[in-house]
Amino acid sequence: MPEIQTTITPHNQQPYVQRTYPTREELDVIINNAVEAQKKWVQVPLAERIAIGRKFIVHEEFKAMKDEIPLDLTLQMGRPVSQGAGEVRGLVERAEYMLSIAESQLADVQLTDPDKPGFRRFIKRVPLGVVFVIAPWNYPYLTSINSVLPAMIAGNTVLLKPSPQTPVTAEQFASALIKAGLPKDVVQVTHLSLELARYVVRSPRVEFVSFTGSVKGGREVGRAAAEGDGFKGVALELGGKDPAYVREDADLEYTVPELVDGAFFNSGQSCCAIERIYVHESLYDAFVKRFVEVTKTYNLGDPTDPSTNLGPVVSLASAERIRKQTEDAVAAGAKKLVPEELFPIAQPGTTYVAPQVLVDVNHSMDVMKVSSDEEALALMNDSPYGLTASIWTNAEKNPASEEAFLRLTDRLETGTVFLNRCDYLDPALVWTGVKDSGRGMSLSKFAYEGEVGAYED
């Protein structure tokens, strides 16, 4: 009997779509098709590959897809339909930038030093071959474009495995690329069980693996890649436990709503969501008061309702885990500041979880009071993760605050540091992490470095 995966809509717990996994033999054919397609795709001039990418953005298929994505995402992973358009805007922004730098980043590197008379030396950038992209459910289009577009523009073919929670996203993405002129089998969508995914990672015909997901999943991918024949590249984006530090001169009217959004957007299910906040003691009481006020204004409800700005979490298991974390914190001495009766839809046995603010916490919990930059720095670095961090201070009007920000930046153990913003990826800046947040890079000019090899002539 073929193995079938079923996607459950979070807010109503009803089956949405089903997909059938291939057999091992069928998967071998898929991989072989990718290998053969890459031999032809690499012969397509770079300018033509870039043109297909640009056509994808403006093609009627993508325009139609833009109208469908918000509700489609809601029904697959629960994000409020009012917030789905942001994923489309982000996809376009990232694609446009990565296409704009592709020619320069994939060009041969000419060596003009005069120390080798009689020689013409250059470094040629060449594609790796077949790239396996394992995408998550929380931002399926954004994370896919980060890996798929640079890989295919560089001349690789791609096997794209979406999360079982968001299978339709990858299918729509690949369909729009094909209708924009991408040749058959350059990007193939593969719905796979964990065991079949391991099989692809181990395959000697797959040269690179890009994974976005949990630390546990990242370790599995790294282990499977090491167990396979040969040596392949692996990029792992494994999320974080991202801190924010509110200094004594922060503008609370601006800072608080930004941090509430950074904590609760996408129901807190973002790779770089704000999960820890350290507030200077001089602002602590005013910050907490304002944070609670803003949190109480959120509308938790049916994500298909355009007035909803906070939807369910992705699964019943996730909801129960979050409730238990809150209960454990309270049992350890934390205090809840948001009355749960403000959000009556948040009941046990559902995927709706009321937003909450905890105080009187220790470092395993939520919002903490600090007395200095040094104390905040130590707490921000006291984590096995290092994806992003944010510092909130009036650097524009206070040169000393800008200097403090730069000093802290040099000592923070994290991939990205924000000043007075959070939870945003700029496509011109490399997206990377340290410690258990993974290894490898996406976005910026460095994204192309992982998708090509090089040899010298």
Side-chain angles (χ1 to χ4, degrees):
M1 288 288 292
E3 191 174 354
I4 296 173
Q5 73 175 30
T6 301
T7 300
I8 303 297
T9 296
H11 75 279
N12 61 21
Q13 289 298 290
Q14 296 301 305
Y16 183 57
V17 293
Q18 290 186 325
R19 295 293 182 265
T20 302
Y21 295 143
T23 63
R24 184 74 63 88
E25 292 73 23
E26 290 169 335
L27 186 53
D28 281 332
V29 172
I30 291 170
I31 297 173
N32 187 67
N33 289 344
V35 172
E36 294 304 314
Q38 197 274 330
K39 295 175 183 177
K40 299 175 183 177
W41 179 237
V42 71
Q43 300 302 318
V44 176
L46 176 59
E48 292 184 25
R49 288 183 243 144
I50 294 172
I52 291 173
R54 294 191 188 283
K55 189 177 178 183
F56 155 71
I57 298 173
V58 301
H59 195 271
E60 290 301 319
E61 173 77 5
F62 180 69
K63 290 180 180 177
M65 189 174 79
K66 286 196 295 185
D67 296 332
E68 299 170 1
I69 284 176
L71 180 58
D72 190 57
L73 279 174
T74 298
L75 296 177
Q76 289 180 84
M77 51 75 65
R79 187 186 307 153
V81 70
S82 61
Q83 298 170 347
E87 183 135 6
V88 179
R89 289 193 299 271
L91 182 152
V92 172
E93 179 188 27
R94 296 179 191 187
E96 287 179 338
Y97 181 79
M98 296 307 296
L99 291 168
S100 74
I101 65 171
E103 188 171 2
S104 62
Q105 296 309 308
L106 294 172
D108 296 343
V109 179
Q110 301 294 334
L111 302 180
T112 57
D113 296 341
D115 61 335
K116 291 281 186 179
F119 288 87
R120 178 186 174 221
R121 299 176 300 156
F122 64 94
I123 300 172
K124 187 173 183 62
R125 291 187 171 107
V126 296
L128 299 173
V130 178
V131 175
F132 183 33
V133 175
I134 305 174
W137 54 263
N138 60 341
Y139 290 97
Y141 290 101
L142 291 180
T143 51
S144 294
I145 201 74
N146 290 356
S147 302
V148 173
L149 187 72
M152 75 177 206
I153 295 299
N156 303 286
T157 50
V158 177
L159 302 176
L160 174 56
K161 179 201 172 303
S163 164
Q165 193 67 45
T166 50
V168 179
T169 58
E171 296 165 357
Q172 290 179 317
F173 183 28
S175 174
L177 284 168
I178 291 169
K179 291 184 178 180
L182 191 71
K184 185 176 183 291
D185 295 332
V186 171
V187 174
Q188 298 179 80
V189 176
T190 56
H191 302 291
L192 303 173
S193 65
L194 291 176
E195 188 52 46
L196 288 174
R198 290 190 191 97
Y199 179 75
V200 177
V201 172
R202 293 189 187 109
S203 172
R205 294 181 293 172
V206 173
E207 299 292 341
F208 191 83
V209 180
S210 176
F211 171 83
T212 303
S214 67
V215 171
K216 179 181 178 182
R219 289 197 177 106
E220 286 286 330
V221 168
R223 187 178 299 114
E227 291 170 351
D229 293 334
F231 299 92
K232 66 189 65 186
V234 176
L236 306 172
E237 200 268 87
L238 308 179
K241 190 77 173 174
D242 293 2
Y245 171 37
V246 182
R247 299 186 76 244
E248 64 266 36
D249 65 343
D251 178 355
L252 294 189
E253 286 305 304
Y254 168 77
T255 298
V256 171
E258 290 291 312
L259 284 174
V260 174
D261 182 69
F264 294 128
F265 187 83
N266 206 31
S267 298
Q269 301 167 133
S270 301
C271 301
C272 51
I274 296 297
E275 298 193 41
R276 299 177 286 147
I277 303 176
Y278 307 107
V279 185
H280 191 272
E281 58 189 6
S282 64
L283 293 181
Y284 182 81
D285 290 341
F287 176 91
V288 170
K289 180 175 183 292
R290 181 65 179 139
F291 199 98
V292 170
E293 290 172 351
V294 175
T295 301
K296 288 178 178 179
T297 68
Y298 270 56
N299 181 18
L300 174 68
D302 184 343
T304 64
D305 183 341
S307 68
T308 295
N309 64 353
L310 185 62
V313 296
V314 72
S315 68
L316 292 172
S318 292
E320 288 306 310
R321 183 167 58 250
I322 295 167
R323 291 189 187 98
K324 185 176 186 305
Q325 287 172 342
T326 302
E327 292 167 0
D328 289 348
V330 172
K335 180 180 179 182
K336 296 192 291 187
L337 297 183
V338 179
E340 294 182 358
E341 55 265 26
L342 293 176
F343 306 95
I345 198 172
Q347 297 295 324
T350 74
T351 52
Y352 292 101
V353 180
Q356 189 54 262
V357 181
L358 300 177
V359 294
D360 297 339
V361 297
N362 61 38
H363 200 210
S364 66
M365 303 180 204
D366 204 346
V367 183
M368 288 186 62
K369 184 188 301 184
V370 296
S371 60
S372 67
D373 288 352
E374 287 298 317
E375 184 181 6
L377 178 70
L379 290 170
M380 294 170 85
N381 284 340
D382 185 20
S383 169
Y385 298 98
L387 188 59
T388 80
S390 61
I391 298 171
W392 304 76
T393 190
N394 198 342
E396 183 178 358
K397 294 183 179 180
N398 187 350
S401 293
E402 182 174 0
E403 292 172 6
F405 167 75
L406 295 173
R407 286 196 304 271
L408 289 166
T409 296
D410 288 340
R411 298 170 63 191
L412 278 167
E413 299 165 359
T414 191
T416 298
V417 183
F418 298 105
L419 173 61
N420 295 335
R421 78 175 307 168
C422 60
D423 195 17
Y424 171 73
L425 277 66
D426 186 326
L429 300 177
V430 65
W431 184 240
T432 188
V434 300
K435 299 190 278 191
D436 280 0
S437 286
R439 66 185 185 192
M441 300 174 286
S442 64
L443 299 179
S444 81
K445 67 179 184 180
F446 296 104
Y448 286 106
E449 298 297 326
E451 307 295 350
V452 294
Y455 66 82
E456 298 179 4
D457 277 1

